Amino acid sequence: MTRIDDVARLAGVSTATVSRALRGLPTVSAATRRRVLAAAEQLQYAVSPSASRLAGGKTGTVAVVVPRITRWFFGTVVETVEDSLHQNGYDLLLYNLGGREQTRQRVLRTANLHKRVDAIILVATPLRAADVHALTKFDLPGVTISSGSGVPGWPCVRIDDVAAARTATRHLLDLGHTRIAHISGDPDDELAFTTHLDRRRGYQEALRAAGLRPDPSLDVESRFTIDGGTRATAELLARGEPPTAIFAACDEMAMGAISALRDAGLRVPQDVSVIGIDDHDLAGVLGLSTIAQPAADQGRLAARILLDPLGTGAAGDPRTPASVILPTRLVVRDSTAPPRAH
């Protein structure tokens, strides 16, 4: 049986070059590719993806770690990352933590992770000191997406969550609202997310800039889900006088808020305005005002940054800064309006 090193010997190149040439990667010159293809045809060599990768000391696989694959943001990022990796001859190995601390420890600190993959992408995965230590020891290239903490030497692609929340709250203030509630993330989540803290900070900064003092009775914590938004809004309404506007820390919570308000006989936006963050696929259908964040672009850029050190010849840039902050934008739809005159 013909092996990849037979093709390499006949073509006068390394096995790694044969692998790249047969996978169609752009790091091989046209002349070298023709020589490799001719040698492979002459020897009737059938490409084995796993063999060609291993010949270059690679697994051809990138690990992508997400907290919960069922959430819109994580699913969108993973789909985009996978598409970029496949275009460059890499497979994706998905680790879904399911929101469990025990799973996080097993995945990030296992001694076998570095043997299974060539690189790692962490999507919004909070890291503890022990996680960072383990990942650093693996000595693999990596990128974090939407993460408040990182690994030394790993670039981070994210949005400015504080600024996004400020913009959302300022939109409500500009409409004339002063009694603005905030529904946010659950601080008791096992993975200890920080995104909800940044978005609360932006909300409070916008209020203070407008001369308003944040009211703890208008701040309710729940999960980043539609059900979480429904429960938080029901609790908010049970506390007494309803707000004239709600800023939800994500679009799914905003959708739940709209449902709870309507169940309580309140109209959106006539009685209560609602705004979220994300620009979820359903936001336009539901007429939800939001802060659009480029979820797909974050995945695409992270993959491009990662592919360069893997030697694929993708359009990576070694001058890429340690943190790339992508812009967000305000999208005004039907769920926000000036407060009703009493």
Side-chain angles (χ1 to χ4, degrees):
M1 179 180 293
T2 304
R3 299 182 305 177
I4 191 172
D5 53 352
D6 297 324
V7 177
R9 194 160 37 249
L10 180 60
V13 298
S14 68
T15 54
T17 298
V18 172
S19 175
R20 289 194 295 271
L22 296 181
R23 287 159 60 198
L25 299 183
T27 50
V28 181
S29 69
T32 300
R33 191 186 312 279
R34 285 194 297 270
R35 196 161 69 250
V36 169
L37 291 175
E41 182 178 2
Q42 179 180 335
L43 296 173
Q44 297 183 326
Y45 174 70
V47 179
S48 167
S50 59
S52 62
R53 288 164 178 168
L54 291 174
K58 301 291 185 180
T59 67
T61 304
V62 173
V64 178
V65 182
V66 297
R68 292 181 184 275
I69 191 59
T70 54
R71 303 287 167 78
W72 171 82
F73 175 78
F74 304 137
T76 301
V77 168
V78 168
E79 182 178 17
T80 308
V81 168
E82 183 174 36
D83 182 61
S84 297
L85 292 177
H86 281 178
Q87 288 182 28
N88 288 278
Y90 276 81
D91 294 325
L92 180 149
L93 179 59
L94 178 65
Y95 288 93
N96 177 32
L97 303 183
R100 295 180 292 270
E101 170 64 19
Q102 185 176 6
T103 306
R104 188 251 298 271
Q105 292 184 25
R106 178 178 58 81
V107 170
L108 299 184
R109 303 176 195 177
T110 175
N112 292 325
L113 181 60
H114 69 289
K115 298 179 181 179
R116 298 173 179 170
V117 300
D118 299 328
I120 304 171
I121 296 178
L122 301 179
V123 185
T125 303
L127 300 175
R128 307 191 192 282
D131 302 327
V132 174
H133 177 71
L135 291 169
T136 301
K137 286 181 62 179
F138 290 159
D139 195 27
L140 293 174
V143 179
T144 62
I145 300 176
S146 186
S147 177
S149 57
V151 179
W154 288 20
C156 177
V157 178
R158 63 184 181 89
I159 65 168
D160 186 333
D161 286 294
V162 177
R166 275 200 307 264
T167 300
T169 308
R170 192 180 303 121
H171 169 63
L172 298 174
L173 290 165
D174 290 344
L175 289 172
H177 294 278
T178 56
R179 188 170 170 77
I180 302 171
H182 177 49
I183 55 177
S184 185
D186 183 1
D188 296 326
D189 188 282
E190 288 185 35
L191 297 183
F193 286 106
T194 60
T195 299
H196 69 284
L197 299 177
D198 291 335
R199 295 181 182 178
R200 175 181 287 118
R201 177 180 150 200
Y203 157 76
Q204 293 177 344
E205 286 182 359
L207 291 180
R208 292 192 179 101
L212 300 173
R213 178 178 298 178
D215 184 349
S217 70
L218 294 177
D219 196 331
V220 182
E221 295 173 342
S222 190
R223 294 187 178 276
F224 268 50
T225 63
I226 294 176
D227 182 63
T230 302
R231 292 174 181 272
T233 304
E235 179 182 338
L236 184 66
L237 297 176
R239 292 181 178 181
E241 180 186 357
T244 64
I246 295 175
F247 161 49
C250 73
D251 280 356
E252 291 180 58
M253 296 186 86
M255 295 172 193
I258 291 174
S259 176
L261 290 168
R262 289 175 176 165
D263 287 346
L266 296 171
R267 298 169 300 167
V268 177
Q270 293 89 340
D271 298 316
V272 182
S273 288
V274 177
I275 190 170
I277 291 181
D278 277 337
D279 204 20
H280 187 287
D281 290 343
L282 294 178
V285 176
L286 299 175
L288 176 64
S289 293
T290 187
I291 304 298
Q293 69 160 317
D297 287 347
Q298 290 180 68
R300 192 175 296 111
L301 178 57
R304 191 174 72 194
I305 292 172
L306 188 67
L307 287 168
D308 186 64
L310 291 178
T312 66
D317 187 345
R319 298 168 298 177
T320 299
S323 182
V324 181
I325 301 177
L326 298 182
T328 57
R329 60 187 174 88
L330 172 65
V331 180
V332 179
R333 297 192 178 101
D334 299 333
S335 67
T336 53
R340 185 178 58 175
H342 293 284

